[in-house]
Amino acid sequence: FSLWWAVFATVVYLVLFYDLSIDRVALTAIGMQHQAYLLQIAALLIYAIGAILLLMAGGNVTALMTIMALGIVIALIWAKRLWAGQSFAPSSTALGNPAYRADLLKQLFGRQGLGYLAYGGIVLTMQADVLFLGWLGGAEVAAEYVVLWKAAEVAVLMLWRISEALIPDLIRS
């Protein structure tokens, strides 16, 4: 029973995350990339603080996914406030039209959603190493692996993203 609520909370989180992605891309397009990154950082900080408090209180996976979705909701509210002072805003375009966003969600849960489902499967297989280590060697072995290897993997990804972060500036040049 709890697993189904965790899956539901994850789906809600993903839908909200894709909605926030619209705002992040639009902010980047108008030269406010720092604000877009701040939105993402705020959502992660809210999740981190909430996760620590929830885990200390004995929370479960469903509670963690719910707090993750809450972080995105707060970032979405912040994004809407950012757009209030702009002449161009997703709310003034097709992206801000509720019917258009409903159509996007219909596509997400329709045939096009199968592609996202396949992508999710690929992402899960990318994380399967930790799952297998945890299954075979226990939580301590998996934790040691994550601390040693995943930290290096994150460092490589961050270095990779530096050039991606410069793309808007290069396009404007």
Side-chain angles (χ1 to χ4, degrees):
F1 178 72
S2 178
L3 176 66
W4 290 111
W5 283 110
V7 169
F8 177 74
T10 303
V11 168
V12 168
Y13 162 76
L14 287 174
V15 168
L16 291 171
F17 180 78
Y18 286 126
D19 195 31
L20 180 63
S21 295
I22 294 169
D23 289 309
R24 286 183 25 236
V25 169
L27 283 168
T28 300
I30 66 168
M32 294 179 62
Q33 189 172 15
H34 63 285
Q35 294 289 355
Y37 285 146
L38 285 176
L39 289 173
Q40 191 170 5
I41 290 169
L44 287 172
L45 281 176
I46 291 166
Y47 169 69
I49 292 167
I52 290 168
L53 295 174
L54 279 171
L55 290 174
M56 288 182 0
N60 58 15
V61 174
T62 306
L64 288 174
M65 289 311 301
T66 303
I67 198 73
M68 210 170 190
L70 179 66
I72 296 293
V73 166
I74 292 170
L76 278 168
I77 292 169
W78 183 12
K80 300 310 175 218
R81 298 196 80 210
L82 284 173
W83 287 117
Q86 299 293 325
S87 59
F88 167 83
S91 60
S92 65
T93 66
L95 293 175
N97 182 345
Y100 183 77
R101 284 191 180 211
D103 186 48
L104 285 177
L105 289 176
K106 192 186 312 179
Q107 290 176 16
L108 181 64
F109 291 108
R111 186 169 182 216
Q112 188 175 5
L114 290 175
Y116 288 109
L117 184 63
Y119 175 75
I122 292 169
V123 169
L124 282 176
T125 59
M126 290 171 60
Q127 300 301 320
D129 52 352
V130 177
L131 293 173
F132 285 130
L133 281 174
W135 180 50
L136 295 173
E140 189 173 326
V141 171
E144 287 176 9
Y145 172 75
V146 167
V147 168
L148 292 175
W149 177 250
K150 292 298 181 179
E153 191 176 327
V154 166
V156 168
L157 286 173
M158 287 174 60
L159 288 173
W160 184 16
R161 300 279 290 191
I162 289 173
S163 62
E164 185 180 322
L166 296 174
I167 289 174
D169 294 325
L170 293 174
I171 290 173
R172 265 187 262 135
S173 299

